[in-house]
Amino acid sequence: MTTTQPTGTPLGALPPREHLRLGQTGTVLDVVIPVYNEETDLEPCVRRLREHLARTFPYGFRITIADNASTDRTPEVAARLDDALEEVTAVRLEQKGRGRALRTVWALSEAPVLAYMDVDLSTDLNALLPLVAPLISGHSDLAIGSRLSRSARVVRGPKREFISRTYNLILRGSLAARFSDAQCGFKAVRGDVAERLLPMVEDTGWFFDTELLVLAERAGLRIHEVPVDWVDDPNSTVHLVRTATDDLKGVWRVGRALATGRLPLDRLARPFGDDPRDRELNGVPGGLARQLVGFCAVGALSTLLYLGLYSLFRLGVGPQLSNAAALLVSALGNTAANRRLTFGVRGRDRAVRHQAQGLVVFAIGLALTSGSLAALDTATGNPSHGTELAVLVAANLAATVLRFLLFRAWVFPERERERERGADSLESHRAAPNQQSHPNHPNQQSHPNHQSHPNHQNDRDDLTRSPR
């Protein structure tokens, strides 16, 4: 196995995905098996994996045994397999940690597709080719085996099933993860993606997988999931309580880093590929999903403000006047917040006009809500305060859809937002008149928030060939 220092991570965005040029490399797939004190299971696992790949995988492959400072005969078994089998390479690290082993070996590998699996071969090997095929074809950036997919077939005890599903629910709730199975020991990644992604991953233990996937997903990379047949290993040496505690600490650390914007995820961004459906089409509005999220957040806060003001004003005046005053104050704040946060319009230019247009939208909302109150009063005569609030909430929800459409199409149309972005670009250009380099050139960008991890170099220093 080569031990040359990997090239530095370029700073530009990743190029478009494309099918690997298989004729330019002899080894397409490098499967890493991280082990610690596995003298009994190692040889049967490697020989079975090699036989399967030789029979089913149509390209060149390598199997790398990554020994995590084993204290039994594992290094001797690994060295013997290295000598006996041409496709097998053994390396040894003097520190423990599955994440450390994967990051170190993957960083040094020259294979365009990198994978790993657990030594117990709990996952059926028939899923290996479907796992790596989307990476070879250029369809996906990472691939994971999923034990929680509907079509997966899994044999394991209720305790591990409960822990696995609970952990993935925590990831979905705290880090908004959309992948289904973070900890299945059956994953693959393209080499060009790993080159940029690995330096951002801090964990060296079991949370490595989760951190890798969360950062990739947040950067917009495509993660392919393969349902697997999986049988639990009853002799697993994983310490569940300690692993769960470390994972929760990792969730907190990664969540905080994402919230503060400390990670330079723009280095992992992919441009659209050659699928015409991925291209920006003329006449198709952009940014709709982000605007909907921003509008809903502002609307929720505005509704709370409106209800609070209505309840306050209702102590001294009638329902119609209370509704009008509360709606007016909340409408002014709603327009200002949507102007800045939802539609990205800054500065004082056209601010008065936007507020005037917002008041027209406010009048529509006033007509809907006042009409609802009038209809309620006609129907019941003397409605309770709780009934009034319920009717007002329903009326506001009905007005919300119309308000968003009016904001997007009339108050803050796309042409104004484009003019705003153009003005920002011109201002930035004037602020730096002497800059002659192309702004998108990868070697001209800087990311002050990126922090390299000193342990990465130590990982390479600790990697040695297994003893003969």
Side-chain angles (χ1 to χ4, degrees), residues 137-149:
S137 70
H139 174 270
S140 301
D141 299 293
L142 298 91
I144 64 173
S146 175
R147 299 163 296 183
L148 303 181
S149 173

Side-chain angles (χ1 to χ4, degrees), residues 16 77 171 195:
V77 177
L171 293 181
E195 182 183 7

Side-chain angles (χ1 to χ4, degrees), residues 91-128:
V91 297
R92 177 175 172 82
L93 287 84
E94 298 303 329
Q95 293 178 283
K96 291 177 61 176
R98 182 178 71 173
R100 176 179 287 107
L102 293 176
R103 188 179 64 205
T104 304
V105 176
W106 280 354
L108 296 173
S109 178
E110 296 178 351
V113 177
L114 310 168
Y116 95 89
M117 63 179 58
D118 293 334
V119 69
D120 56 16
L121 293 185
S122 295
T123 305
D124 183 11
L125 291 178
N126 287 325
L128 183 55

Side-chain angles (χ1 to χ4, degrees), residues 199 449-456:
N449 291 332
H450 177 60
Q451 299 177 357
S452 61
H453 304 295
N455 291 334
H456 293 189

